[in-house]
Amino acid sequence: MIALTLAEIAEATRGTLLLDGTHVSPETAVSGPSTTDSREVVPGGIFFAKPGEVTDGHLFAPQAVEAGAALVVVDHPLQLPVPQLLVDDTVVALGDLATEVIARVRALGRLKIVGITGSNGKTTTKNLLRAVLEQVGPTIAPRASFNNEVGAPVTMLQVTEETQFLVAEMGASGIGEIARLVRMARPDVGVVLKVGLAHAGEFGGIEKTLQAKTEMVTDLLESDVAVLNIDDPRVATMADKTAARVLWFGLDERADVRATDVVSDRRGTSFTLHLPSRDGGDGPGSEPQSRPVRFQVLGEHHVMNALAAAASAYVLDVDIDTIVSALQTVKTAERWRMEVMGGTEVTVINDAYNASPDSMSAALKTLAQIAEPDGRTIAVLGEMSELGEFSGEEHDRIGLLAVRLGIDQLVIVGPSARRMHISAINEGSWDGESLYFDTQDAAFDHLSGALLPGDTVLVKSSNSAGLRFLGDRLGESFS
């Protein structure tokens, strides 16, 4: 974080500075990282005591002080030997401080911000774009899926005077949340990947999801750019709701940034990347640019994420050769996202960090595409959470899809996912092609003895189902 005095932090967060007994001046500067997790506090950092559903961050403030926190942000005073900042809401204060830091750094004229949202692919796109932009200048991007009202501002607060690019992943589970994040760090480039059923239960339906995701582009200025997925009809409607220039990406031939000649295999996906000309005229550099890409991230569906990253980098004046070189160096989208594990005999694809109907379908199609010619395909599937009223029919649809794709063995884990098993049986998988287990341990015991050389295993579920740990166990067992 840029250095701010305690007084400046108090003003930015509309808080009251409590210094009694600390022998610290309001003009003392703080520049350490901010966190809501006392285990992540480092000397000179700021600890925001966030109340939670299970516990309260105020209970861990003493541990934060022991770890070296220079300031503790609280909603009620505590007996602590360090400065405290008393605010009405610690999460709101976190966002207010991020807003102030971003505004100060932007005023220097160097920082460019890319905001990324969508029902699927945010984290992968963020990682790909970070890989590209790091080749050009100092870049800040969130770790894992730090994209909510806490994770996003924590990432924003890492920005310093030297930062050239901020890649801000912006997620939401309700109307107004993306708009709040956009107000903290208004993007120069706003990216919308897809509007699907992920979290539709929380939003209250697909139209509410569309409304929430549209918040990414509604406040963009004419000088900004909206990077939109032309292949998604819902995303395409956002072009009429933004003042920004629109740059389309996708497989459609009308896209400004597109991919052709897409071919997937066990080593990744090859495609040809097409970018617009740089000057839009008839002189040198006016011809559209094309380059072959050997993309190592597994799954044809990740090509769309690569296109979104390439489009964003193009807007930021990164040349096509740098874009392609960086994309080709990325091997894994993220931990537990199409992560290839196992060994020479059994391949395990651990994709169980999250799951929606769209990402589950894409993962199953990838499994069918990359199978060894003489090997079996095994899909180990768990619940897709947060689908609300769509849950039953979407689990049914995935069970049917697995059968129709010719997946050799379906292994369903957990009561909430059992409808996929029933649907597969009803579709014809009644002779053991689909198996159901209540627990991960039971599924692991079966798979440990049933997997054969040449098998390719996909493990896929929502984060809450926890099958990523089953995927790790299988990967280690067959490494």
Side-chain angles (χ1 to χ4, degrees):
M1 187 181 82
I2 61 173
L4 295 174
T5 67
L6 293 174
E8 288 173 325
I9 295 172
E11 182 179 1
T13 58
R14 296 163 301 199
T16 301
L17 197 57
L18 306 177
L19 298 175
D20 288 350
T22 65
H23 307 293
V24 175
S25 164
E27 299 308 310
T28 299
V30 177
S31 60
S34 298
T35 183
T36 60
D37 188 336
S38 61
R39 296 166 297 183
E40 296 181 353
V41 172
V42 300
I46 305 174
F47 175 65
F48 286 79
K50 182 179 76 72
E53 295 180 3
V54 178
T55 188
D56 187 339
H58 292 78
L59 299 175
F60 301 93
Q63 289 93 315
V65 173
E66 289 178 10
L71 175 66
V72 176
V73 183
V74 296
D75 62 22
H76 60 272
L78 302 175
Q79 294 296 320
L80 297 172
V82 299
Q84 298 177 62
L85 183 61
L86 181 62
V87 297
D88 292 334
D89 186 311
T90 57
V91 174
V92 171
L94 178 66
D96 287 342
L97 183 57
T99 303
E100 177 69 14
V101 167
I102 293 297
R104 290 190 180 216
V105 176
R106 290 204 76 146
L108 301 175
R110 177 181 175 87
L111 179 66
K112 294 293 184 181
I113 299 174
V114 181
I116 301 172
T117 196
S119 298
N120 303 105
K122 294 184 294 296
T123 299
T124 300
T125 303
K126 171 261 298 184
N127 287 341
L128 294 172
L129 183 56
R130 172 171 55 192
V132 175
L133 296 180
E134 284 178 338
Q135 306 305 308
V136 179
T139 302
I140 297 295
R143 71 177 192 267
S145 293
F146 268 39
N147 60 28
N148 62 9
E149 62 182 356
V150 173
V154 164
T155 300
M156 294 172 192
L157 285 168
Q158 296 175 31
V159 166
T160 69
E161 293 89 346
E162 288 72 40
T163 304
Q164 188 170 347
F165 303 108
L166 168 65
V167 182
E169 186 179 337
M170 298 181 177
S173 57
I175 302 297
E177 294 181 13
I178 292 175
R180 187 180 308 119
L181 298 178
V182 167
R183 286 193 293 271
M184 292 181 199
R186 185 188 57 76
D188 300 281
V189 182
V191 182
V192 186
L193 301 168
K194 189 175 183 63
V195 176
L197 285 175
H199 311 295
E202 289 185 318
F203 281 110
I206 193 68
E207 293 307 315
K208 292 290 186 182
T209 304
L210 172 59
Q211 181 182 344
K213 301 302 183 185
T214 302
E215 293 170 7
M216 173 60 74
V217 301
T218 50
D219 289 337
L220 295 182
L221 306 178
E222 289 185 10
S223 57
D224 300 328
V225 178
V227 173
L228 302 179
N229 180 357
I230 199 170
D231 295 346
D232 187 315
R234 294 188 179 94
V235 175
T237 66
M238 298 180 189
D240 298 327
K241 298 177 177 64
T242 184
R245 174 170 68 88
V246 173
L247 186 72
W248 298 105
F249 72 92
L251 302 180
D252 191 293
E253 62 182 11
R254 297 170 298 165
D256 301 298
V257 177
R258 64 193 181 98
T260 59
D261 310 313
V262 180
V263 179
S264 291
D265 57 32
R266 297 174 68 84
R267 297 176 296 137
T269 307
S270 62
F271 63 94
T272 301
L273 172 65
H274 303 273
L275 297 182
S277 63
R278 275 296 175 192
D279 62 14
D282 298 323
S286 63
E287 291 296 321
Q289 310 166 80
S290 300
R291 296 288 189 280
V293 180
R294 184 59 193 173
F295 191 44
Q296 298 184 71
V297 178
L298 198 61
E300 187 175 306
H301 54 292
H302 284 306
V303 170
M304 293 297 288
N305 302 325
L307 291 177
S312 302
Y314 170 84
V315 172
L316 297 172
D317 292 326
V318 182
D319 67 86
I320 189 169
D321 292 319
T322 299
I323 292 171
V324 170
S325 176
L327 289 178
Q328 292 185 148
T329 65
V330 180
K331 296 182 179 180
T332 304
E334 179 72 58
R335 180 83 164 98
W336 297 311
R337 288 176 170 87
M338 298 304 282
E339 183 178 6
V340 180
M341 309 174 72
T344 57
E345 293 188 342
V346 175
T347 300
V348 178
I349 303 168
N350 194 348
D351 192 32
Y353 187 82
N354 55 29
S356 68
D358 290 328
S359 67
M360 186 77 84
S361 298
L364 285 171
K365 290 173 183 176
T366 297
L367 176 63
Q369 285 178 330
I370 68 171
E372 293 280 12
D374 299 321
R376 298 182 303 168
T377 51
I378 294 93
V380 183
L381 308 180
E383 179 190 16
M384 299 179 290
S385 62
E386 300 176 356
L387 294 179
E389 63 180 296
F390 305 102
S391 181
E393 63 186 77
E394 291 301 325
H395 281 85
D396 289 345
R397 188 173 68 83
I398 294 300
L400 296 176
L401 178 63
V403 176
R404 292 168 183 173
L405 287 173
I407 303 301
D408 295 304
Q409 179 71 70
L410 195 58
V411 176
I412 306 301
V413 185
S416 298
R418 193 168 185 270
R419 283 187 65 154
M420 287 190 280
H421 172 61
I422 300 301
S423 295
I425 290 176
N426 291 339
E427 187 69 6
S429 296
W430 44 263
D431 194 23
E433 294 94 343
S434 181
L435 300 173
Y436 170 77
F437 298 94
D438 276 320
T439 67
Q440 291 187 39
D441 287 341
F444 178 79
D445 290 343
H446 165 76
L447 290 164
S448 295
L451 293 180
L452 302 172
D455 286 350
T456 302
V457 184
L458 168 71
V459 183
K460 180 75 173 169
S461 76
S462 286
N463 195 25
S464 59
L467 260 62
R468 62 193 185 280
F469 303 118
L470 174 59
D472 283 346
R473 291 176 68 187
L474 290 170
E476 292 168 5
S477 180
F478 290 93
S479 63

